[in-house]
Amino acid sequence: MRFSIFFLFFSTTILAQVDYPKDYFRTPLDIPMQLSGNFGELRPNHFHAGFDLRTQQKEGLKVYAVADGYVSRIKISTFGNGKTIYINHPNGYTSVYGHLKMANGEIERFIKETHYKEESFEIEMFFKPDEMVVKKGDIIAFSGNTGASEGPHLHFEFRDSKTEFIINPMLFGFNTFLKDTKKPIVSGVYVYPLDAKTTVNNSKRPLLLNVSLQKDGTYLSDKVVANGAIGFGISAYDSDDVSFNNNGVYKVQSFYNGKPNFGYEFNTYSFDDMRYINALIDYSRYKKMQQRVQKLFMKTPYNLSFIQADENKGVLQVTPNLASLYRIEVSDFFGNKKTIAIPIKYDILTTIINKEPAQSNYFVRANKDSNFALENMSVFFPAGTFYEDFDLNFDVKNDTLFLHDDTVPAHSNFTISIEDTKSSEGQREKMFIGRIEGKKINYNPTYRKDGLFTSKVKILGKYALIADTAAPKISIATPIEGKWISDQKIIQLVINDEGSGIKSYNGYLNGKWVLFEYDNKTKKLTHFFSDGITSDGGNDLKVVVVDNVGNSTTFETRFFRSQK
């Protein structure tokens, strides 16, 4: 235990001593920098890996190489960062540009050639240092709204080229492009009783504490009266002088009687750290109330690399005859700081608010394999699937598996198995294990051997065998059958599948594969005539869409186009 604690502090000190170049990189846009998302910001199932740069609510802004280097990777995806370019720089760092509308010049030509070579919209390419060289200030792309973007912006990152660790752009001098005189905002301070015996302020449930502003600019909380193991959590956000929105906080540090107790700052971390956000936050509260409370303790230790904790992992033992003071400091990268002091006193109080009753019939130990089975359904949790032990609801009713609910986060995959003895072989070919969320069915990749279906999933909830016999739907807003469309720049279709979801889509012009770009947010397939694939005169278009269990739909039409 002592070695691991020492290592956490030691490794953090080493990271802090890295001398990142401050004047080496320029900004990727030629407009004043504004953030719609910052580094380390709390997102669903991950910490944000870079900056989200505002693009004036529009697409098509020029995106520049931030330094000399070469394009090392290009990834085109319908999810995640959408159209993304990676540039390796000679000083050992990689810059990443995501949600692009399109690349520029030779890069875009190579991308288009690869689409047609691989006959796929989703592609990934890797390059050697001498294949696609760029200079600082070259226009490499144009900003867009592709992938999982919720609006036009540029996602921008720095990474260590060797380790793939993500690095806060502020460390490279990007703080000079912003003005920030505002202190972070702590919108809530919470105290948690951490065992069955502990009562805090007459409660065995987490409580929101009242805080008041003091003359010196700090904040003072109401006194915490407790008699055992407790921990604290905060809900907080930060903003700057020019970005006009709330972002994540940079640094959190707690002190117990003046000694560092628990803390972290968002300088650098790995992709392996990402999902540990669900251990850092009060996940149950987030799912129930959409509030992200950052816990300043580890009830059960977990391996989040940038956490600095004392030997008790932030957990406080409130004992008799000792008045204590707990302090929380929340800071931004510019040194603006909010401080909250919390006095703590030992006393045994009558419990007025009891612990929320656990409605369960099983118990899961996080550090051991667990297997549960009822009727024709079973679930296997490998050791390490969950962060903490918990009481599990597990039942089977009306051919549906009730597997607790999504208020307990899973860190890694677990396996659901369902045996079917009622359906024919033909019917089974159209079946999958789906997660039921209200009226929505979520498809999970499913393996089948005869009548046994298995699927690896990461979310607790309701599951069942779902049959999907309905083919995908294809529609066109403006019919083009038999029409001359020489003035149109695009053909656009809408595709949808309400069962297992869309697996593939392919378009053909006059018998040859043609590129259609897919936007998962709008369900639109778009072909750009600038590809130069159409013939002068009549053209036959065929689009084939297949869902995840093999149902397919074919759309066909004939149109006319002049190339003059």
Side-chain angles (χ1 to χ4, degrees), residues 19 89 121 123 144 154 249 277 297 378 396 412 429 431 477 482 485:
D19 186 18
H89 304 284
F121 171 56
I123 55 177
L154 176 68
V249 298
I277 185 176
F297 61 90
S378 65
V396 175
S412 53
E429 290 179 353
M431 298 168 72
I485 57 171

Side-chain angles (χ1 to χ4, degrees), residues 102 107-108 184 217 361 392 508:
M102 62 184 298
I107 303 174
E108 178 64 17
N361 47 3
L392 171 74
Y508 304 89

